[in-house]
Amino acid sequence: MAYYRIISPDGGMNIMMKRDSHREIYHTSGVSIHEKKIELPFKIKMFAGEESGYDQYDPDFEGEYIQPSIEERLVDYYSESSLMTSALINALRDAGVDNLQIFPIEIEDAFTGEVLNFKYALVNIIGLVSCADLESSEHLPFGSGYYFHKIKIDEEKVKGLSMFRLAESHLEIIVNEKVAKVINSGKFTGITAEPCN
């Protein structure tokens, strides 16, 4: 089985979604979040537009530039706050991912304070698997784990999970080939799956 790592290219859209509540909860830990112990929704601040320092600008563009709307710049996945659109969540589930916790969110424009009606959810991936073959991977020490340039996955240790966080680096999300094909289908923005091995 081939495995892939999730990356989140910005693509010049320059929108940041930052969690503004429940900072004590680490959505990168791979463990279940006890929803009965927290007040929902999760609060998210959106930084977009010139006022927030997140305007879209392409220095290589020639000709008359028309600034796209915020809606046109939104992507399906924001890794820093673990936000996904319902279309992406449903596609992952259809591909066999069954270890996702989905939480409602409220997005507020960081500059105007306006509550926005963008349809996202905070997604917690349950599953932390120690399966990196460190001898065959390219990595550097990073905190209590590693920063990987290349990851070699020990398939026997995956135990059939379609999507999980890597125990050796909690920021790394690993998916199997079936899930990677869905992600790379061209239907989703802000997310790509690149081969590990």
Side-chain angles (χ1 to χ4, degrees):
M1 172 77 71
Y3 289 93
Y4 295 71
R5 70 199 296 187
I6 299 299
I7 59 171
S8 185
D10 180 79
M13 297 296 118
N14 295 340
I15 292 179
M16 182 174 74
M17 299 284 195
K18 184 176 179 183
R19 187 146 47 114
D20 197 42
S21 70
H22 309 310
R23 293 184 183 164
E24 73 284 0
I25 296 172
Y26 297 102
H27 64 267
T28 59
S29 67
V31 299
S32 180
I33 296 171
H34 300 288
E35 55 188 292
K36 292 183 179 178
K37 295 182 179 179
I38 60 174
E39 185 178 329
L40 296 173
F42 280 84
K43 308 283 187 179
I44 306 292
K45 289 252 175 135
M46 182 188 77
F47 296 83
E50 188 176 354
E51 307 85 4
S52 300
Y54 282 84
D55 56 324
Q56 187 184 34
Y57 176 67
D58 181 356
D60 298 322
F61 181 80
E62 294 180 9
E64 184 180 350
Y65 181 71
I66 299 172
Q67 177 75 28
S69 68
I70 298 296
E71 289 82 357
E72 291 171 316
R73 291 166 52 195
L74 291 171
V75 295
D76 289 287
Y77 177 60
Y78 289 95
S79 61
E80 65 275 9
S81 50
S82 203
L83 300 186
M84 294 184 187
T85 58
S86 57
L88 177 56
I89 293 167
N90 291 336
L92 293 174
R93 286 178 166 163
D94 289 345
V97 176
D98 60 2
N99 56 331
L100 302 180
Q101 274 186 299
I102 311 301
F103 295 97
I105 65 164
E106 181 180 276
I107 300 175
E108 178 183 305
D109 186 304
F111 182 71
T112 66
E114 177 187 0
V115 174
L116 305 168
N117 192 29
F118 301 144
K119 302 298 182 190
Y120 287 90
L122 186 141
V123 177
N124 181 38
I125 301 166
I126 302 170
L128 194 62
V129 181
S130 180
C131 61
D133 180 343
L134 294 177
E135 288 186 9
S136 301
S137 300
E138 293 179 20
H139 56 81
L140 295 170
F142 183 74
S144 60
Y146 300 94
Y147 173 82
F148 288 92
H149 297 287
K150 286 188 178 179
I151 306 171
K152 172 75 173 169
I153 298 296
D154 184 339
E155 185 177 344
E156 289 183 10
K157 295 181 179 178
V158 172
K159 299 178 182 174
L161 283 174
S162 301
M163 184 177 206
F164 57 89
R165 288 191 181 274
L166 192 64
E168 291 83 358
S169 177
H170 294 198
L171 296 178
E172 294 284 356
I173 299 171
I174 307 297
V175 298
N176 66 17
E177 191 168 10
K178 182 178 180 182
V179 176
K181 284 180 179 176
V182 168
I183 289 170
N184 292 338
S185 65
K187 296 177 182 177
F188 305 108
T189 54
I191 186 169
T192 303
E194 62 176 24
C196 288
N197 307 332

